Amino acid sequence: MARYAEPDTAVQWVESGGGPLIAVPETVLPFWTGADGDELASDYDRACEVGGDVGLLPVGDSAALVLGDEPASTSFLPEHGTFVRWCAADSEDEVLAGVPAALATATWENEVRWDVPGPLVLFDSAWPGRDSEGTEHLKVDLEPGRYAVRAGRAQPGPETWLGLVQLRRLPN
């Protein structure tokens, strides 16, 4: 897992080998086969076909969230309920300082609705879910429920560009 600051204050960032990142509910991790598999199109191939910044793919009896477009370093900031994608910035401090302004000024895509059964694991979609613990990954503790998910982009500073994927829990 990439860290860019001091270990006691560092945000954990996940990077991919070039393809999309995916957030898979822990309950269905064993069903994500990544680039492995005997089928004509692997789960990784399905993730690569997702257009736009986010999309949902069926996995087991649930769905996984694909963070598409570019393989930017990504972390989850629970205080904002947002995956932050580091597109351009000189430092982690610039990225983190820019998040509030980015959230306020982002150009947002249409929302999707996602039923989340509980905690997620964010990792490179090329890896099988059962191997995610041995790869660069990030556990995201989410309460089970229905979420509105929206993706956006913002430039909170002259040399800082961020991608954002915000999750908002919906009332039952």
Side-chain angles (χ1 to χ4, degrees), residues 108-144:
W108 297 101
E109 296 178 5
N110 291 334
E111 289 185 344
V112 296
R113 301 285 192 244
W114 186 24
D115 292 316
V116 178
L120 311 170
V121 179
L122 177 71
F123 59 99
D124 186 333
S125 61
W127 289 96
R130 66 183 178 282
D131 295 338
S132 64
E133 291 292 321
T135 68
E136 191 171 293
H137 69 281
L138 177 64
K139 184 174 177 181
V140 177
D141 288 318
L142 283 185
E143 292 291 319

PDB file of all heavy atoms in Angstrom, residues 108-144:
ATOM      1  N   TRP A 108     -20.276  16.861 -11.164  1.00  0.00           N
ATOM      2  CA  TRP A 108     -20.734  15.520 -10.800  1.00  0.00           C
ATOM      3  C   TRP A 108     -21.465  14.844 -11.949  1.00  0.00           C
ATOM      4  O   TRP A 108     -22.228  15.486 -12.672  1.00  0.00           O
ATOM      5  CB  TRP A 108     -21.660  15.576  -9.582  1.00  0.00           C
ATOM      6  CG  TRP A 108     -20.978  16.090  -8.350  1.00  0.00           C
ATOM      7  CD1 TRP A 108     -21.072  17.355  -7.845  1.00  0.00           C
ATOM      8  CD2 TRP A 108     -20.109  15.371  -7.482  1.00  0.00           C
ATOM      9  NE1 TRP A 108     -20.307  17.454  -6.709  1.00  0.00           N
ATOM     10  CE2 TRP A 108     -19.704  16.258  -6.464  1.00  0.00           C
ATOM     11  CE3 TRP A 108     -19.629  14.067  -7.458  1.00  0.00           C
ATOM     12  CZ2 TRP A 108     -18.847  15.876  -5.430  1.00  0.00           C
ATOM     13  CZ3 TRP A 108     -18.768  13.683  -6.441  1.00  0.00           C
ATOM     14  CH2 TRP A 108     -18.387  14.585  -5.445  1.00  0.00           C
ATOM     15  N   GLU A 109     -21.274  13.533 -12.071  1.00  0.00           N
ATOM     16  CA  GLU A 109     -22.044  12.702 -12.991  1.00  0.00           C
ATOM     17  C   GLU A 109     -23.344  12.291 -12.312  1.00  0.00           C
ATOM     18  O   GLU A 109     -23.547  12.552 -11.126  1.00  0.00           O
ATOM     19  CB  GLU A 109     -21.248  11.437 -13.352  1.00  0.00           C
ATOM     20  CG  GLU A 109     -19.969  11.698 -14.110  1.00  0.00           C
ATOM     21  CD  GLU A 109     -19.192  10.417 -14.392  1.00  0.00           C
ATOM     22  OE1 GLU A 109     -19.696   9.307 -14.089  1.00  0.00           O
ATOM     23  OE2 GLU A 109     -18.078  10.534 -14.906  1.00  0.00           O
ATOM     24  N   ASN A 110     -24.205  11.604 -13.044  1.00  0.00           N
ATOM     25  CA  ASN A 110     -25.442  11.090 -12.465  1.00  0.00           C
ATOM     26  C   ASN A 110     -25.135  10.057 -11.390  1.00  0.00           C
ATOM     27  O   ASN A 110     -24.163   9.306 -11.496  1.00  0.00           O
ATOM     28  CB  ASN A 110     -26.322  10.453 -13.540  1.00  0.00           C
ATOM     29  CG  ASN A 110     -26.872  11.482 -14.504  1.00  0.00           C
ATOM     30  OD1 ASN A 110     -27.025  12.646 -14.157  1.00  0.00           O
ATOM     31  ND2 ASN A 110     -27.154  11.052 -15.714  1.00  0.00           N
ATOM     32  N   GLU A 111     -25.993  10.005 -10.394  1.00  0.00           N
ATOM     33  CA  GLU A 111     -25.838   9.043  -9.301  1.00  0.00           C
ATOM     34  C   GLU A 111     -26.283   7.655  -9.727  1.00  0.00           C
ATOM     35  O   GLU A 111     -27.150   7.504 -10.583  1.00  0.00           O
ATOM     36  CB  GLU A 111     -26.696   9.452  -8.095  1.00  0.00           C
ATOM     37  CG  GLU A 111     -26.208  10.663  -7.368  1.00  0.00           C
ATOM     38  CD  GLU A 111     -27.028  10.956  -6.121  1.00  0.00           C
ATOM     39  OE1 GLU A 111     -28.144  10.425  -5.956  1.00  0.00           O
ATOM     40  OE2 GLU A 111     -26.543  11.741  -5.309  1.00  0.00           O
ATOM     41  N   VAL A 112     -25.675   6.661  -9.079  1.00  0.00           N
ATOM     42  CA  VAL A 112     -26.151   5.284  -9.169  1.00  0.00           C
ATOM     43  C   VAL A 112     -26.513   4.849  -7.759  1.00  0.00           C
ATOM     44  O   VAL A 112     -26.010   5.407  -6.780  1.00  0.00           O
ATOM     45  CB  VAL A 112     -25.099   4.324  -9.789  1.00  0.00           C
ATOM     46  CG1 VAL A 112     -24.797   4.703 -11.225  1.00  0.00           C
ATOM     47  CG2 VAL A 112     -23.835   4.275  -8.975  1.00  0.00           C
ATOM     48  N   ARG A 113     -27.396   3.881  -7.643  1.00  0.00           N
ATOM     49  CA  ARG A 113     -27.799   3.345  -6.337  1.00  0.00           C
ATOM     50  C   ARG A 113     -27.095   2.009  -6.136  1.00  0.00           C
ATOM     51  O   ARG A 113     -27.043   1.180  -7.047  1.00  0.00           O
ATOM     52  CB  ARG A 113     -29.310   3.139  -6.276  1.00  0.00           C
ATOM     53  CG  ARG A 113     -30.101   4.395  -6.518  1.00  0.00           C
ATOM     54  CD  ARG A 113     -30.051   5.308  -5.303  1.00  0.00           C
ATOM     55  NE  ARG A 113     -31.018   6.381  -5.394  1.00  0.00           N
ATOM     56  CZ  ARG A 113     -30.697   7.659  -5.472  1.00  0.00           C
ATOM     57  NH1 ARG A 113     -29.450   8.021  -5.488  1.00  0.00           N
ATOM     58  NH2 ARG A 113     -31.623   8.574  -5.531  1.00  0.00           N
ATOM     59  N   TRP A 114     -26.563   1.807  -4.923  1.00  0.00           N
ATOM     60  CA  TRP A 114     -25.779   0.611  -4.624  1.00  0.00           C
ATOM     61  C   TRP A 114     -26.205   0.046  -3.283  1.00  0.00           C
ATOM     62  O   TRP A 114     -26.163   0.747  -2.271  1.00  0.00           O
ATOM     63  CB  TRP A 114     -24.307   0.991  -4.606  1.00  0.00           C
ATOM     64  CG  TRP A 114     -23.314  -0.115  -4.453  1.00  0.00           C
ATOM     65  CD1 TRP A 114     -23.465  -1.423  -4.757  1.00  0.00           C
ATOM     66  CD2 TRP A 114     -21.980   0.015  -3.965  1.00  0.00           C
ATOM     67  NE1 TRP A 114     -22.311  -2.121  -4.510  1.00  0.00           N
ATOM     68  CE2 TRP A 114     -21.383  -1.247  -4.026  1.00  0.00           C
ATOM     69  CE3 TRP A 114     -21.232   1.085  -3.495  1.00  0.00           C
ATOM     70  CZ2 TRP A 114     -20.065  -1.485  -3.604  1.00  0.00           C
ATOM     71  CZ3 TRP A 114     -19.926   0.863  -3.085  1.00  0.00           C
ATOM     72  CH2 TRP A 114     -19.359  -0.408  -3.150  1.00  0.00           C
ATOM     73  N   ASP A 115     -26.622  -1.218  -3.283  1.00  0.00           N
ATOM     74  CA  ASP A 115     -26.941  -1.925  -2.041  1.00  0.00           C
ATOM     75  C   ASP A 115     -25.655  -2.553  -1.525  1.00  0.00           C
ATOM     76  O   ASP A 115     -25.080  -3.433  -2.166  1.00  0.00           O
ATOM     77  CB  ASP A 115     -28.002  -3.007  -2.287  1.00  0.00           C
ATOM     78  CG  ASP A 115     -29.346  -2.401  -2.631  1.00  0.00           C
ATOM     79  OD1 ASP A 115     -29.734  -1.429  -1.951  1.00  0.00           O
ATOM     80  OD2 ASP A 115     -29.993  -2.880  -3.564  1.00  0.00           O
ATOM     81  N   VAL A 116     -25.215  -2.092  -0.359  1.00  0.00           N
ATOM     82  CA  VAL A 116     -23.947  -2.522   0.228  1.00  0.00           C
ATOM     83  C   VAL A 116     -24.238  -3.411   1.429  1.00  0.00           C
ATOM     84  O   VAL A 116     -24.900  -2.977   2.372  1.00  0.00           O
ATOM     85  CB  VAL A 116     -23.102  -1.296   0.647  1.00  0.00           C
ATOM     86  CG1 VAL A 116     -21.808  -1.724   1.302  1.00  0.00           C
ATOM     87  CG2 VAL A 116     -22.837  -0.401  -0.545  1.00  0.00           C
ATOM     88  N   PRO A 117     -23.730  -4.669   1.414  1.00  0.00           N
ATOM     89  CA  PRO A 117     -24.000  -5.565   2.537  1.00  0.00           C
ATOM     90  C   PRO A 117     -23.101  -5.332   3.749  1.00  0.00           C
ATOM     91  O   PRO A 117     -23.303  -5.952   4.801  1.00  0.00           O
ATOM     92  CB  PRO A 117     -23.765  -6.959   1.939  1.00  0.00           C
ATOM     93  CG  PRO A 117     -22.802  -6.738   0.825  1.00  0.00           C
ATOM     94  CD  PRO A 117     -23.078  -5.355   0.299  1.00  0.00           C
ATOM     95  N   GLY A 118     -22.097  -4.464   3.640  1.00  0.00           N
ATOM     96  CA  GLY A 118     -21.181  -4.209   4.752  1.00  0.00           C
ATOM     97  C   GLY A 118     -19.819  -3.788   4.237  1.00  0.00           C
ATOM     98  O   GLY A 118     -19.714  -3.210   3.150  1.00  0.00           O
ATOM     99  N   PRO A 119     -18.761  -4.066   5.012  1.00  0.00           N
ATOM    100  CA  PRO A 119     -17.415  -3.607   4.651  1.00  0.00           C
ATOM    101  C   PRO A 119     -16.995  -4.021   3.245  1.00  0.00           C
ATOM    102  O   PRO A 119     -17.402  -5.063   2.724  1.00  0.00           O
ATOM    103  CB  PRO A 119     -16.522  -4.280   5.695  1.00  0.00           C
ATOM    104  CG  PRO A 119     -17.418  -4.520   6.859  1.00  0.00           C
ATOM    105  CD  PRO A 119     -18.765  -4.822   6.273  1.00  0.00           C
ATOM    106  N   LEU A 120     -16.132  -3.165   2.654  1.00  0.00           N
ATOM    107  CA  LEU A 120     -15.629  -3.355   1.299  1.00  0.00           C
ATOM    108  C   LEU A 120     -14.114  -3.531   1.330  1.00  0.00           C
ATOM    109  O   LEU A 120     -13.461  -3.126   2.285  1.00  0.00           O
ATOM    110  CB  LEU A 120     -15.906  -2.109   0.447  1.00  0.00           C
ATOM    111  CG  LEU A 120     -17.290  -1.513   0.457  1.00  0.00           C
ATOM    112  CD1 LEU A 120     -17.277  -0.165  -0.250  1.00  0.00           C
ATOM    113  CD2 LEU A 120     -18.264  -2.464  -0.216  1.00  0.00           C
ATOM    114  N   VAL A 121     -13.584  -4.070   0.236  1.00  0.00           N
ATOM    115  CA  VAL A 121     -12.144  -4.105   0.038  1.00  0.00           C
ATOM    116  C   VAL A 121     -11.867  -3.478  -1.326  1.00  0.00           C
ATOM    117  O   VAL A 121     -12.430  -3.903  -2.334  1.00  0.00           O
ATOM    118  CB  VAL A 121     -11.579  -5.540   0.100  1.00  0.00           C
ATOM    119  CG1 VAL A 121     -10.076  -5.534  -0.126  1.00  0.00           C
ATOM    120  CG2 VAL A 121     -11.910  -6.190   1.442  1.00  0.00           C
ATOM    121  N   LEU A 122     -11.022  -2.446  -1.335  1.00  0.00           N
ATOM    122  CA  LEU A 122     -10.623  -1.760  -2.560  1.00  0.00           C
ATOM    123  C   LEU A 122      -9.283  -2.319  -3.008  1.00  0.00           C
ATOM    124  O   LEU A 122      -8.333  -2.371  -2.217  1.00  0.00           O
ATOM    125  CB  LEU A 122     -10.494  -0.259  -2.293  1.00  0.00           C
ATOM    126  CG  LEU A 122     -10.017   0.598  -3.467  1.00  0.00           C
ATOM    127  CD1 LEU A 122     -11.104   0.702  -4.535  1.00  0.00           C
ATOM    128  CD2 LEU A 122      -9.601   1.979  -2.982  1.00  0.00           C
ATOM    129  N   PHE A 123      -9.198  -2.748  -4.275  1.00  0.00           N
ATOM    130  CA  PHE A 123      -7.954  -3.318  -4.792  1.00  0.00           C
ATOM    131  C   PHE A 123      -7.964  -3.281  -6.317  1.00  0.00           C
ATOM    132  O   PHE A 123      -8.967  -2.916  -6.940  1.00  0.00           O
ATOM    133  CB  PHE A 123      -7.728  -4.741  -4.275  1.00  0.00           C
ATOM    134  CG  PHE A 123      -8.815  -5.724  -4.625  1.00  0.00           C
ATOM    135  CD1 PHE A 123      -8.677  -6.591  -5.699  1.00  0.00           C
ATOM    136  CD2 PHE A 123      -9.981  -5.792  -3.870  1.00  0.00           C
ATOM    137  CE1 PHE A 123      -9.678  -7.497  -6.018  1.00  0.00           C
ATOM    138  CE2 PHE A 123     -10.984  -6.700  -4.184  1.00  0.00           C
ATOM    139  CZ  PHE A 123     -10.830  -7.556  -5.265  1.00  0.00           C
ATOM    140  N   ASP A 124      -6.850  -3.663  -6.918  1.00  0.00           N
ATOM    141  CA  ASP A 124      -6.707  -3.718  -8.369  1.00  0.00           C
ATOM    142  C   ASP A 124      -7.635  -4.809  -8.894  1.00  0.00           C
ATOM    143  O   ASP A 124      -7.555  -5.965  -8.469  1.00  0.00           O
ATOM    144  CB  ASP A 124      -5.248  -4.024  -8.715  1.00  0.00           C
ATOM    145  CG  ASP A 124      -4.942  -3.970 -10.197  1.00  0.00           C
ATOM    146  OD1 ASP A 124      -5.845  -4.208 -11.023  1.00  0.00           O
ATOM    147  OD2 ASP A 124      -3.775  -3.711 -10.531  1.00  0.00           O
ATOM    148  N   SER A 125      -8.499  -4.464  -9.845  1.00  0.00           N
ATOM    149  CA  SER A 125      -9.496  -5.418 -10.337  1.00  0.00           C
ATOM    150  C   SER A 125      -8.888  -6.617 -11.058  1.00  0.00           C
ATOM    151  O   SER A 125      -9.587  -7.601 -11.303  1.00  0.00           O
ATOM    152  CB  SER A 125     -10.494  -4.710 -11.260  1.00  0.00           C
ATOM    153  OG  SER A 125      -9.841  -4.166 -12.383  1.00  0.00           O
ATOM    154  N   ALA A 126      -7.609  -6.577 -11.390  1.00  0.00           N
ATOM    155  CA  ALA A 126      -6.968  -7.724 -12.036  1.00  0.00           C
ATOM    156  C   ALA A 126      -6.743  -8.885 -11.064  1.00  0.00           C
ATOM    157  O   ALA A 126      -6.609 -10.030 -11.484  1.00  0.00           O
ATOM    158  CB  ALA A 126      -5.625  -7.314 -12.649  1.00  0.00           C
ATOM    159  N   TRP A 127      -6.724  -8.601  -9.769  1.00  0.00           N
ATOM    160  CA  TRP A 127      -6.479  -9.643  -8.774  1.00  0.00           C
ATOM    161  C   TRP A 127      -7.765 -10.374  -8.406  1.00  0.00           C
ATOM    162  O   TRP A 127      -8.819  -9.747  -8.288  1.00  0.00           O
ATOM    163  CB  TRP A 127      -5.890  -9.041  -7.499  1.00  0.00           C
ATOM    164  CG  TRP A 127      -4.493  -8.572  -7.683  1.00  0.00           C
ATOM    165  CD1 TRP A 127      -4.087  -7.298  -7.965  1.00  0.00           C
ATOM    166  CD2 TRP A 127      -3.325  -9.375  -7.639  1.00  0.00           C
ATOM    167  NE1 TRP A 127      -2.728  -7.261  -8.083  1.00  0.00           N
ATOM    168  CE2 TRP A 127      -2.232  -8.517  -7.892  1.00  0.00           C
ATOM    169  CE3 TRP A 127      -3.091 -10.731  -7.414  1.00  0.00           C
ATOM    170  CZ2 TRP A 127      -0.918  -8.985  -7.913  1.00  0.00           C
ATOM    171  CZ3 TRP A 127      -1.786 -11.183  -7.432  1.00  0.00           C
ATOM    172  CH2 TRP A 127      -0.722 -10.317  -7.683  1.00  0.00           C
ATOM    173  N   PRO A 128      -7.679 -11.673  -8.160  1.00  0.00           N
ATOM    174  CA  PRO A 128      -8.838 -12.382  -7.609  1.00  0.00           C
ATOM    175  C   PRO A 128      -9.126 -11.886  -6.193  1.00  0.00           C
ATOM    176  O   PRO A 128      -8.196 -11.569  -5.436  1.00  0.00           O
ATOM    177  CB  PRO A 128      -8.393 -13.850  -7.580  1.00  0.00           C
ATOM    178  CG  PRO A 128      -7.220 -13.929  -8.502  1.00  0.00           C
ATOM    179  CD  PRO A 128      -6.570 -12.583  -8.475  1.00  0.00           C
ATOM    180  N   GLY A 129     -10.373 -11.827  -5.827  1.00  0.00           N
ATOM    181  CA  GLY A 129     -10.758 -11.369  -4.498  1.00  0.00           C
ATOM    182  C   GLY A 129     -10.140 -12.180  -3.379  1.00  0.00           C
ATOM    183  O   GLY A 129      -9.761 -11.639  -2.347  1.00  0.00           O
ATOM    184  N   ARG A 130     -10.019 -13.489  -3.590  1.00  0.00           N
ATOM    185  CA  ARG A 130      -9.452 -14.338  -2.523  1.00  0.00           C
ATOM    186  C   ARG A 130      -7.981 -14.017  -2.260  1.00  0.00           C
ATOM    187  O   ARG A 130      -7.447 -14.339  -1.227  1.00  0.00           O
ATOM    188  CB  ARG A 130      -9.624 -15.814  -2.869  1.00  0.00           C
ATOM    189  CG  ARG A 130      -8.836 -16.261  -4.065  1.00  0.00           C
ATOM    190  CD  ARG A 130      -9.079 -17.718  -4.449  1.00  0.00           C
ATOM    191  NE  ARG A 130      -8.331 -18.076  -5.623  1.00  0.00           N
ATOM    192  CZ  ARG A 130      -8.650 -17.775  -6.870  1.00  0.00           C
ATOM    193  NH1 ARG A 130      -9.755 -17.099  -7.101  1.00  0.00           N
ATOM    194  NH2 ARG A 130      -7.897 -18.131  -7.875  1.00  0.00           N
ATOM    195  N   ASP A 131      -7.305 -13.337  -3.220  1.00  0.00           N
ATOM    196  CA  ASP A 131      -5.902 -12.954  -3.059  1.00  0.00           C
ATOM    197  C   ASP A 131      -5.731 -11.492  -2.667  1.00  0.00           C
ATOM    198  O   ASP A 131      -4.600 -11.012  -2.562  1.00  0.00           O
ATOM    199  CB  ASP A 131      -5.135 -13.203  -4.365  1.00  0.00           C
ATOM    200  CG  ASP A 131      -5.065 -14.672  -4.740  1.00  0.00           C
ATOM    201  OD1 ASP A 131      -5.216 -15.518  -3.840  1.00  0.00           O
ATOM    202  OD2 ASP A 131      -4.872 -14.962  -5.931  1.00  0.00           O
ATOM    203  N   SER A 132      -6.811 -10.774  -2.449  1.00  0.00           N
ATOM    204  CA  SER A 132      -6.709  -9.331  -2.210  1.00  0.00           C
ATOM    205  C   SER A 132      -5.916  -9.001  -0.949  1.00  0.00           C
ATOM    206  O   SER A 132      -5.253  -7.965  -0.900  1.00  0.00           O
ATOM    207  CB  SER A 132      -8.094  -8.687  -2.148  1.00  0.00           C
ATOM    208  OG  SER A 132      -8.828  -9.181  -1.048  1.00  0.00           O
ATOM    209  N   GLU A 133      -5.969  -9.849   0.054  1.00  0.00           N
ATOM    210  CA  GLU A 133      -5.220  -9.587   1.290  1.00  0.00           C
ATOM    211  C   GLU A 133      -3.721  -9.583   1.039  1.00  0.00           C
ATOM    212  O   GLU A 133      -2.969  -8.939   1.752  1.00  0.00           O
ATOM    213  CB  GLU A 133      -5.573 -10.614   2.370  1.00  0.00           C
ATOM    214  CG  GLU A 133      -6.990 -10.468   2.908  1.00  0.00           C
ATOM    215  CD  GLU A 133      -7.193  -9.199   3.715  1.00  0.00           C
ATOM    216  OE1 GLU A 133      -6.294  -8.790   4.473  1.00  0.00           O
ATOM    217  OE2 GLU A 133      -8.274  -8.593   3.579  1.00  0.00           O
ATOM    218  N   GLY A 134      -3.253 -10.301   0.017  1.00  0.00           N
ATOM    219  CA  GLY A 134      -1.832 -10.363  -0.292  1.00  0.00           C
ATOM    220  C   GLY A 134      -1.392  -9.302  -1.275  1.00  0.00           C
ATOM    221  O   GLY A 134      -0.247  -9.292  -1.718  1.00  0.00           O
ATOM    222  N   THR A 135      -2.296  -8.401  -1.643  1.00  0.00           N
ATOM    223  CA  THR A 135      -1.987  -7.347  -2.608  1.00  0.00           C
ATOM    224  C   THR A 135      -2.186  -5.994  -1.945  1.00  0.00           C
ATOM    225  O   THR A 135      -2.620  -5.904  -0.799  1.00  0.00           O
ATOM    226  CB  THR A 135      -2.913  -7.436  -3.839  1.00  0.00           C
ATOM    227  OG1 THR A 135      -4.247  -7.102  -3.431  1.00  0.00           O
ATOM    228  CG2 THR A 135      -2.883  -8.814  -4.459  1.00  0.00           C
ATOM    229  N   GLU A 136      -1.901  -4.954  -2.691  1.00  0.00           N
ATOM    230  CA  GLU A 136      -2.181  -3.612  -2.216  1.00  0.00           C
ATOM    231  C   GLU A 136      -3.698  -3.463  -2.150  1.00  0.00           C
ATOM    232  O   GLU A 136      -4.385  -3.604  -3.170  1.00  0.00           O
ATOM    233  CB  GLU A 136      -1.583  -2.632  -3.219  1.00  0.00           C
ATOM    234  CG  GLU A 136      -1.553  -1.225  -2.741  1.00  0.00           C
ATOM    235  CD  GLU A 136      -0.743  -0.365  -3.687  1.00  0.00           C
ATOM    236  OE1 GLU A 136       0.480  -0.554  -3.776  1.00  0.00           O
ATOM    237  OE2 GLU A 136      -1.365   0.496  -4.336  1.00  0.00           O
ATOM    238  N   HIS A 137      -4.227  -3.210  -0.969  1.00  0.00           N
ATOM    239  CA  HIS A 137      -5.676  -3.120  -0.787  1.00  0.00           C
ATOM    240  C   HIS A 137      -5.999  -2.181   0.370  1.00  0.00           C
ATOM    241  O   HIS A 137      -5.122  -1.826   1.149  1.00  0.00           O
ATOM    242  CB  HIS A 137      -6.280  -4.506  -0.514  1.00  0.00           C
ATOM    243  CG  HIS A 137      -5.885  -5.051   0.821  1.00  0.00           C
ATOM    244  ND1 HIS A 137      -4.661  -5.636   1.060  1.00  0.00           N
ATOM    245  CD2 HIS A 137      -6.546  -5.075   2.003  1.00  0.00           C
ATOM    246  CE1 HIS A 137      -4.581  -6.008   2.328  1.00  0.00           C
ATOM    247  NE2 HIS A 137      -5.706  -5.678   2.927  1.00  0.00           N
ATOM    248  N   LEU A 138      -7.250  -1.818   0.465  1.00  0.00           N
ATOM    249  CA  LEU A 138      -7.716  -0.953   1.531  1.00  0.00           C
ATOM    250  C   LEU A 138      -9.087  -1.442   1.971  1.00  0.00           C
ATOM    251  O   LEU A 138      -9.997  -1.583   1.142  1.00  0.00           O
ATOM    252  CB  LEU A 138      -7.820   0.499   1.028  1.00  0.00           C
ATOM    253  CG  LEU A 138      -8.362   1.536   1.998  1.00  0.00           C
ATOM    254  CD1 LEU A 138      -7.433   1.703   3.193  1.00  0.00           C
ATOM    255  CD2 LEU A 138      -8.560   2.869   1.282  1.00  0.00           C
ATOM    256  N   LYS A 139      -9.229  -1.704   3.249  1.00  0.00           N
ATOM    257  CA  LYS A 139     -10.537  -2.087   3.785  1.00  0.00           C
ATOM    258  C   LYS A 139     -11.320  -0.813   4.105  1.00  0.00           C
ATOM    259  O   LYS A 139     -10.786   0.123   4.694  1.00  0.00           O
ATOM    260  CB  LYS A 139     -10.395  -2.936   5.035  1.00  0.00           C
ATOM    261  CG  LYS A 139     -11.733  -3.425   5.548  1.00  0.00           C
ATOM    262  CD  LYS A 139     -11.598  -4.387   6.692  1.00  0.00           C
ATOM    263  CE  LYS A 139     -12.974  -4.766   7.190  1.00  0.00           C
ATOM    264  NZ  LYS A 139     -12.917  -5.685   8.310  1.00  0.00           N
ATOM    265  N   VAL A 140     -12.571  -0.790   3.669  1.00  0.00           N
ATOM    266  CA  VAL A 140     -13.455   0.353   3.880  1.00  0.00           C
ATOM    267  C   VAL A 140     -14.640  -0.133   4.702  1.00  0.00           C
ATOM    268  O   VAL A 140     -15.420  -0.972   4.241  1.00  0.00           O
ATOM    269  CB  VAL A 140     -13.933   0.945   2.536  1.00  0.00           C
ATOM    270  CG1 VAL A 140     -14.903   2.095   2.769  1.00  0.00           C
ATOM    271  CG2 VAL A 140     -12.741   1.386   1.698  1.00  0.00           C
ATOM    272  N   ASP A 141     -14.749   0.376   5.917  1.00  0.00           N
ATOM    273  CA  ASP A 141     -15.850  -0.026   6.795  1.00  0.00           C
ATOM    274  C   ASP A 141     -17.085   0.801   6.492  1.00  0.00           C
ATOM    275  O   ASP A 141     -17.131   1.993   6.792  1.00  0.00           O
ATOM    276  CB  ASP A 141     -15.454   0.137   8.265  1.00  0.00           C
ATOM    277  CG  ASP A 141     -14.447  -0.902   8.704  1.00  0.00           C
ATOM    278  OD1 ASP A 141     -14.607  -2.071   8.315  1.00  0.00           O
ATOM    279  OD2 ASP A 141     -13.492  -0.541   9.415  1.00  0.00           O
ATOM    280  N   LEU A 142     -18.056   0.166   5.839  1.00  0.00           N
ATOM    281  CA  LEU A 142     -19.335   0.812   5.561  1.00  0.00           C
ATOM    282  C   LEU A 142     -20.434   0.051   6.274  1.00  0.00           C
ATOM    283  O   LEU A 142     -20.396  -1.174   6.357  1.00  0.00           O
ATOM    284  CB  LEU A 142     -19.639   0.806   4.062  1.00  0.00           C
ATOM    285  CG  LEU A 142     -18.945   1.794   3.156  1.00  0.00           C
ATOM    286  CD1 LEU A 142     -19.479   1.681   1.739  1.00  0.00           C
ATOM    287  CD2 LEU A 142     -19.064   3.220   3.645  1.00  0.00           C
ATOM    288  N   GLU A 143     -21.408   0.793   6.740  1.00  0.00           N
ATOM    289  CA  GLU A 143     -22.592   0.178   7.317  1.00  0.00           C
ATOM    290  C   GLU A 143     -23.422  -0.436   6.196  1.00  0.00           C
ATOM    291  O   GLU A 143     -23.511   0.150   5.113  1.00  0.00           O
ATOM    292  CB  GLU A 143     -23.430   1.219   8.062  1.00  0.00           C
ATOM    293  CG  GLU A 143     -22.779   1.766   9.305  1.00  0.00           C
ATOM    294  CD  GLU A 143     -22.680   0.726  10.397  1.00  0.00           C
ATOM    295  OE1 GLU A 143     -23.645  -0.046  10.590  1.00  0.00           O
ATOM    296  OE2 GLU A 143     -21.620   0.681  11.053  1.00  0.00           O
ATOM    297  N   PRO A 144     -24.035  -1.589   6.430  1.00  0.00           N
ATOM    298  CA  PRO A 144     -24.926  -2.142   5.406  1.00  0.00           C
ATOM    299  C   PRO A 144     -26.058  -1.160   5.104  1.00  0.00           C
ATOM    300  O   PRO A 144     -26.532  -0.463   5.989  1.00  0.00           O
ATOM    301  CB  PRO A 144     -25.473  -3.421   6.058  1.00  0.00           C
ATOM    302  CG  PRO A 144     -24.515  -3.751   7.155  1.00  0.00           C
ATOM    303  CD  PRO A 144     -23.939  -2.437   7.611  1.00  0.00           C
TER     304      PRO A 144
END
